[in-house]
């Protein structure tokens, strides 16, 4: 099955911990994205990558980091600098960064600070 | 910047009745517009997109969307709603960032279909 896989589905983080969210796609897509979703706020862009070994900050990149060492993988690390990390995190990919290409989403990771 | 707006946080409709979820857009140049659906605790699923051509775009699960250039709108419609259509719906556009375009979403509209 082709698709985009996020893991884990649920993640609990202690104060001061870094955690990494996995995102893998086998669609051969060039572009990948990370969004954060909070109730009533829609989707906010954290980071995006148009090609391997290159990525750009989105609107709310502070406290997050990413890497894109392989085309298939775009992991997101939530660092201890992120003051309010509890949220639903969505990874997406698209064939290109073109203006008319749709995005495909993973099932999301719900992160909770305990 | 390219953007979309969804003026309604929630839409309520009875099962079997037609439904409309509203979206307005602000873009420079040709508009390329998208609708996505999100079920609880799941990722977004692509429903349909407008590129050029017919103003009525047909998509998945019986949904369609009407593009209206004079009103800068791209409303999602379905002739007969099902309870299973209850979900969160997002209108989207791609906003230019550097040399590419980033998916940018409205705030979402919660559709509730009552039995």
């Amino acid at each position: 099955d082709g698709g985009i896989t996020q893991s884990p589905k649920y993640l609990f983080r202690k104060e001061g911990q870094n955690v990494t969210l996995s995102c893998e796609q086998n669609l051969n897509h060039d572009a990948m994205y990370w969004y954060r979703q909070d109730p009533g706020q829609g989707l906010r862009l954290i980071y995006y990558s148009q090609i391997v070994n290159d990525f750009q900050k989105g609107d709310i990149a502070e406290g997050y980091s990413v890497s894109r060492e392989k085309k298939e993988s775009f992991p997101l690390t939530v660092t201890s600098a992120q003051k309010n990390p509890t949220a639903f995190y969505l990874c997406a990919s698209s064939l290109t960064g073109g203006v008319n290409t749709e995005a495909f989403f993973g099932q999301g990771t719900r992160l909770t600070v305990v | 910047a390219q953007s979309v707006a969804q003026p309604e946080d929630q839409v309520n409709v009875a099962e079997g009745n037609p439904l409309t979820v509203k979206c307005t857009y602000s873009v420079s140049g040709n508009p390329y517009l998208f609708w996505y659906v999100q079920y609880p605790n799941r990722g977004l699923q692509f429903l349909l997109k407008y590129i050029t051509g017919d103003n009525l775009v047909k998509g998945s699960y019986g949904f369609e969307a009407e593009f209206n250039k004079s009103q800068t709108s791209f409303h999602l419609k379905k002739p007969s709603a099902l309870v299973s259509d209850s979900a969160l719906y997002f209108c989207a556009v791609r906003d230019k960032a550097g040399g590419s375009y980033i998916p940018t979403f409205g705030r979402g509209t919660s559709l509730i279909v009552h039995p």
Side-chain angles (χ1 to χ4, degrees):
Chain A
D1 282 338
I4 181 165
T5 302
Q6 289 186 242
S7 63
K9 188 168 183 175
Y10 299 96
L11 186 57
F12 297 89
R13 191 193 93 167
K14 294 182 180 178
E15 295 280 354
Q17 251 184 355
N18 291 356
V19 291
T20 297
L21 283 59
S22 171
C23 178
E24 303 277 333
Q25 54 99 359
N26 61 3
L27 300 167
N28 200 32
H29 285 177
D30 284 327
M32 296 188 75
Y33 313 88
W34 273 106
Y35 293 91
R36 170 177 170 145
Q37 186 176 24
D38 296 282
Q41 294 199 43
L43 276 69
R44 293 185 289 169
L45 182 68
I46 305 173
Y47 269 97
Y48 64 99
S49 170
Q50 300 296 337
I51 197 169
V52 175
N53 292 322
D54 186 53
F55 49 83
Q56 306 296 328
K57 292 181 178 180
D59 300 322
I60 57 165
E62 185 176 352
Y64 300 97
S65 65
V66 293
S67 62
R68 186 87 187 273
E69 297 176 0
K70 299 186 300 181
K71 188 175 186 177
E72 304 80 23
S73 179
F74 191 42
L76 173 74
T77 296
V78 184
T79 75
S80 56
Q82 171 50 238
K83 298 305 178 190
N84 184 22
T86 295
F88 191 51
Y89 291 86
L90 289 163
C91 181
S93 69
S94 60
L95 185 60
T96 70
V99 69
N100 61 0
T101 53
E102 60 270 29
F104 293 78
F105 283 79
Q107 295 304 297
T109 293
R110 187 167 297 281
L111 174 62
T112 304
V113 173
V114 295
Chain B
Q2 325 276 58
S3 65
V4 291
Q6 295 180 242
E8 302 159 316
D9 290 335
Q10 184 172 304
V11 170
N12 291 277
V13 65
E15 187 174 32
N17 283 2
L19 69 88
T20 298
V21 182
K22 296 180 180 177
C23 173
T24 58
Y25 65 87
S26 174
V27 304
S28 54
N30 294 323
Y32 300 99
L33 302 162
F34 305 80
W35 276 104
Y36 293 82
V37 60
Q38 184 182 30
Y39 297 99
N41 296 310
R42 305 295 292 273
L44 278 67
Q45 296 177 36
F46 169 72
L47 279 178
L48 52 80
K49 66 181 176 182
Y50 173 82
I51 303 178
T52 59
D54 289 341
N55 290 339
L56 188 64
V57 180
K58 294 193 181 297
S60 306
Y61 312 122
F63 284 93
E64 55 193 23
E66 186 173 11
F67 173 75
N68 187 315
K69 188 174 182 177
S70 63
Q71 297 184 7
T72 62
S73 67
F74 187 55
H75 299 335
L76 183 70
K77 298 174 183 280
K78 188 174 183 183
S80 178
L82 300 172
V83 172
S84 57
D85 292 330
S86 299
L88 193 56
Y89 290 82
F90 290 94
C91 185
V93 69
R94 278 193 177 250
D95 193 15
K96 189 167 175 60
S100 60
Y101 295 87
I102 307 302
T104 302
F105 298 86
R107 291 168 63 90
T109 299
S110 178
L111 172 67
I112 300 174
V113 181
H114 301 276

